[in-house]
Amino acid sequence: MPDVTSPYQPGTPCWVDLAAPDQQAAIDFYASVFGWTGEIGPPETGGYAVCQLKDRPVAGIMAALAMDNQPPPPTVWTTYLAADDADTASDAVSKAGGTILMPVTDVMSLGRMCIAADPTGAVFGVWQAVDFPGAGIVNEHGALIWNELNTTDRSAAAAFYQAALGIESVPLQGADNYYALKVKDQAVGGMQPMSEQMAPDTPSHWLPYFSVADTDRTVEKVTAAGGAALQQPFDMMAGRMAVVTDPQGATFAVITPNPLNQG
């Protein structure tokens, strides 16, 4: 993903956060795997933890709490896409066939956000930055490096993100059936049809990738801390990667990028 040198362009993944049944256990797990620091936040933030790496915000972790007689949210990582105006983006999402799951709301003075699902069912967030732009560190060990949409209907997803958020999808040269997601001709993420290696009932979803210095060693840390490997480390065009879950079931990918693919 692009380096953090300026505010995130609209449509660019700018933040990820995790809802976990045991918030403290999740904080401890990612601290052991990636070296993050973080603590449960004050009541006025709902206890939201902004985890840091090198003293810069890298990801959020919150408690998966049931609200308004609804079941608690699933234990998943959510990718947030930047927007100049969350209300305008919310309207565009609806007009393009998406579903607003949580309407636009203010997050103190930090920004405005909503949660939505695309027409294929993949859930994502929209973030309008005010005081908080998003991830303050990317493309380094323990930080976000890529966000990938795995979808049951590539054509429908491509049309939706173009219409709603101005994100283009183009075939990625050298990769079979894989598409780059671009904002102003800058690759900001990827998209692919649902893999046959996934369980048949796996819904469309956004998958965050975290950069690591050594994928094999990181997978060892994940399993030692109670997580599991869904895809053992393997080599591909962008580097050596693996897909894993944390002890509470949240799925994410880790990758040691090839030097030419760094950044």
Side-chain angles (χ1 to χ4, degrees):
M1 64 186 298
D3 288 318
V4 185
T5 56
S6 61
Y8 288 94
Q9 290 288 339
T12 303
C14 62
W15 186 245
V16 292
D17 65 18
L18 171 67
D22 188 332
Q23 184 185 17
Q24 186 61 58
I27 294 171
D28 294 343
F29 170 82
Y30 289 96
S32 69
V33 172
F34 293 140
W36 296 355
T37 58
E39 59 185 27
I40 296 173
E44 57 266 28
T45 70
Y48 193 95
V50 176
C51 297
Q52 295 192 324
L53 184 68
K54 297 181 179 178
D55 296 321
R56 286 178 283 176
V58 66
I61 297 177
M62 61 183 144
L65 300 175
M67 297 180 65
D68 299 326
N69 298 318
Q70 297 294 316
T75 307
V76 295
W77 281 99
T78 298
T79 291
Y80 290 78
L81 306 176
D84 282 337
D85 186 288
D87 295 280
T88 299
S90 176
D91 291 343
V93 164
S94 296
K95 290 177 182 176
T99 303
I100 300 301
L101 303 177
M102 188 186 84
V104 176
T105 184
D106 290 311
V107 183
M108 299 182 294
S109 66
L110 302 176
R112 288 169 59 75
M113 63 165 285
C114 65
I115 301 293
D118 71 25
T120 79
V123 175
F124 63 95
V126 170
W127 181 253
Q128 174 192 338
V130 181
D131 292 339
F132 183 76
I137 181 171
V138 296
N139 304 335
E140 296 186 26
H141 174 81
L144 192 66
I145 190 171
W146 194 245
N147 297 76
E148 178 181 270
L149 175 62
N150 292 271
T151 180
T152 55
D153 189 333
R154 186 200 62 78
S155 296
F160 167 79
Y161 288 98
Q162 172 73 64
L165 296 162
I167 304 171
E168 296 183 278
S169 61
V170 297
L172 187 63
Q173 186 174 2
D176 184 36
N177 219 13
Y178 197 91
Y179 297 78
L181 298 177
K182 290 190 170 185
V183 170
K184 293 189 176 180
D185 210 35
Q186 167 76 54
V188 299
M191 177 175 65
Q192 65 179 352
M194 199 71 72
S195 169
E196 294 179 357
Q197 297 176 340
M198 296 179 186
D201 59 347
T202 303
S204 298
H205 61 277
W206 282 86
L207 180 70
Y209 283 59
F210 297 99
S211 180
V212 294
D214 186 328
T215 292
D216 296 77
R217 177 66 184 127
T218 300
V219 171
E220 290 175 1
K221 287 184 177 182
V222 166
T223 55
L230 299 181
Q231 284 184 277
Q232 293 287 346
F234 65 96
D235 295 312
M236 39 82 82
M237 63 179 295
R240 185 165 177 80
M241 67 167 287
V243 181
V244 298
T245 65
D246 69 22
Q248 299 183 67
T251 301
F252 60 99
V254 294
I255 184 168
T256 303
N258 293 328
L260 293 177
N261 291 292
Q262 190 111 33

